[in-house]
């Protein structure tokens, strides 16, 4: 499968590790949009949040269990934002479910158009 994040998981493309466990991998975004910008992904390939279902819910749950640990380890005690983009209108560029953790500064209130 030609998936960039699956290649990162296999070590075929380098990444800067932020966190990992048996279900979850987190790494620093290559083009950060905040002082701290981390991508959290399930090790299983799920194309987007639009594909979350009963069968893969455990992998997604593991991602959400990891997010507070990652945020704490990064010193994001003052708050942070978790975002997932979906599809064309959501501007999803990599078709492997990922959650952006953005923090390290006061973020803009506006998230829409
Ligand atoms: P999205 O646009 O929501 O699909 O997010 C994809 C994210 O992946 C973007 O923020 C990119 O900067 C990031 N990205 C793309 N390639 C890499 C890479 N090789 N290592 C780390 N982050 C990447």
């Amino acid at each position: 499968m030609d998936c960039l994040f699956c290649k990162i998981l296999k070590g075929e493309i380098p990444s800067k590790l932020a966190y990992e466990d048996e279900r979850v991998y987190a790494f620093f975004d290559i083009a950060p949009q905040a002082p701290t910008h981390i991508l959290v992904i399930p090790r299983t390939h799920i194309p987007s949040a639009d594909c979350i279902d009963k069968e893969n819910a455990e992998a997604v749950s593991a991602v959400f269990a990891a997010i507070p640990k990652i945020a704490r380890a990064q010193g994001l005690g003052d708050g942070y934002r978790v975002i997932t983009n979906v599809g064309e209108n959501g501007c999803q560029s990599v078709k492997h479910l990922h959650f952006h953790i953005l923090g390290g500064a006061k973020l803009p209130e506006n998230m829409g158009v």
Side-chain angles (χ1 to χ4, degrees):
M1 196 190 301
D2 194 28
C3 168
L4 177 67
F5 289 172
C6 284
K7 287 181 182 162
I8 284 180
L9 285 167
K10 285 188 220 151
E12 292 171 9
I13 292 174
S15 61
K16 188 176 166 204
L17 178 74
Y19 171 88
E20 66 177 333
D21 63 33
E22 61 282 354
R23 290 177 185 277
V24 178
Y25 189 80
F27 54 104
F28 288 85
D29 198 291
I30 204 167
Q33 294 185 42
T36 302
H37 187 172
I38 291 170
L39 301 172
V40 192
I41 66 175
R43 289 190 185 274
T44 51
H45 182 87
I46 300 168
S48 81
D50 195 50
C51 301
I52 296 172
D53 58 23
K54 272 189 192 165
E55 272 64 53
N56 59 34
E58 221 177 292
V60 179
S61 161
V63 166
F64 276 92
I67 285 172
K69 295 186 204 171
I70 296 164
R72 254 177 250 129
Q74 294 296 324
L76 301 181
D78 288 338
Y80 54 94
R81 185 168 287 161
V82 179
I83 295 174
T84 190
N85 294 323
V86 180
E88 181 67 22
N89 277 4
C91 295
Q92 181 185 6
S93 62
V94 180
K95 307 303 188 257
H96 182 127
L97 178 65
H98 53 282
F99 294 89
H100 299 254
I101 298 178
L102 298 154
K106 181 82 174 172
L107 300 168
E109 275 186 38
N110 188 7
M111 289 192 291
V113 288

